[in-house]
Amino acid sequence: MSAETDPFESLQAQLDDAAAYIDLDDGLLRRLKNPERILETNLTIRMDDGRLETFRAYRSQFNGDRGPYKGGIRYHPGVSRAEVKALSGWMVYKAATVDIPYGGGKGGIVVDPSELSASEIERLTRAFATELRPLIGEDRDIPAPDVNTGQREMNWIKNTYETLEHTTEPGVVTGKALDSGGSEGRVEATGRSTMLTAREAFDYLDRDIEGATVAVQGYGNAGAIAARLLSTETDATVVAVSDSSGGIHDPDGFDPAAVREHKHDTGSVVGYDGTTALTNEELLTLDVDLLVPAALENAIDADLAERVEADVIVEAANGPLTPDADSVLTDRDVHVLPDILANAGGVTVSYFEWVQNRQRFGWTEDRVVDELERVITDAFDGLTEAYETYDVPNFRTAAYIIALKRVINAHAESGTWP
Ligand code: GLU
């Protein structure tokens, strides 16, 4: 774990690596590396015991050249201005990698929601939505879930916005519950794109995914669903998973859905029947075919990267590798499939939800699953083509070349004004 790596510097380093292959003005590159604007605000709410409490919150609108700003809202004590800036930039290049018509944004509140009651979280969410109201809208900026937020928070944001605006506008936020205008397939979308990326990568690298051993770090929405789909839809064998309390291991594999039930009942994956305990670090250095980091940024630093035994890494989390870790893994021929492709299923099905909201016409789950598969496999093919054409050292640089070129083209086509 390398808490000191600034995620915003990581984003900028990733962009510099790809920009070296593209002819562009330094001034334009500076634009592409920095957010357009950031809201920083303090939300004061009344706690259940009558006290007033104030929480710092941010929304970064990184780049809107390809469409409205789009990205989640995170509730976590580790949220910072630098983190939100980085996450908003990753959204720009994620939407561009999979070619959906969005810019990128991200928000966060510095809070540990496990210490708040449901009604305190509701007041905090509505306070943030009130601050965001002038900035968001289905054609401006569209929030979504991220770490520690989900359908409940999105429904509250939608309701606050619609109440204040005296309108109905379900497309102002995505990741809503089904009865509040959500989409079939949205909850599992991030895990599904992780599974699809792993499947395509193994095929491209001439490796068998059936029976491949898998370790997953992080067992929230992305990690748990990626583990389940890898086991049910590709026949990979999940042998280790972890959460913030620790990890579990069984070399013969286990049923990821049953482990999720166990976590639901006990609060952690730890202690699941027939498994032995292991630390997060042991999990990240386990000798497996596929490693899926699905927790937070900076999970693997250069030191840990030297000890990674996996052959392929598919990033379900945003920014789980530091740039130094990336260099080490590239030198060691470990194939890394970047976050801006592998976890793009979330924002892609958010896009489908927004299309459905605007048309007031719902899709079946089969349609969502099929369209998502098309978007991810097309993006994967584009990525491997760029990997070969530009002869770049790794898949991340290939993805950023594609994404940067799309944003640069949109910017050029719009012209510079005034
Ligand atoms: N928070 C997710 C991400 O990092 C989803 C964003 C969205 O659906 O807009 O990609």
Side-chain angles (χ1 to χ4, degrees), residues 70-72 91 94 106 144-146 174 186 318 343 346-347 350:
K70 183 82 190 82
M91 288 308 304
K94 186 184 304 188
K106 197 76 156 209
D146 198 78
T174 59
R186 175 64 185 84
N318 289 309
N343 72 28
V347 71
S350 277

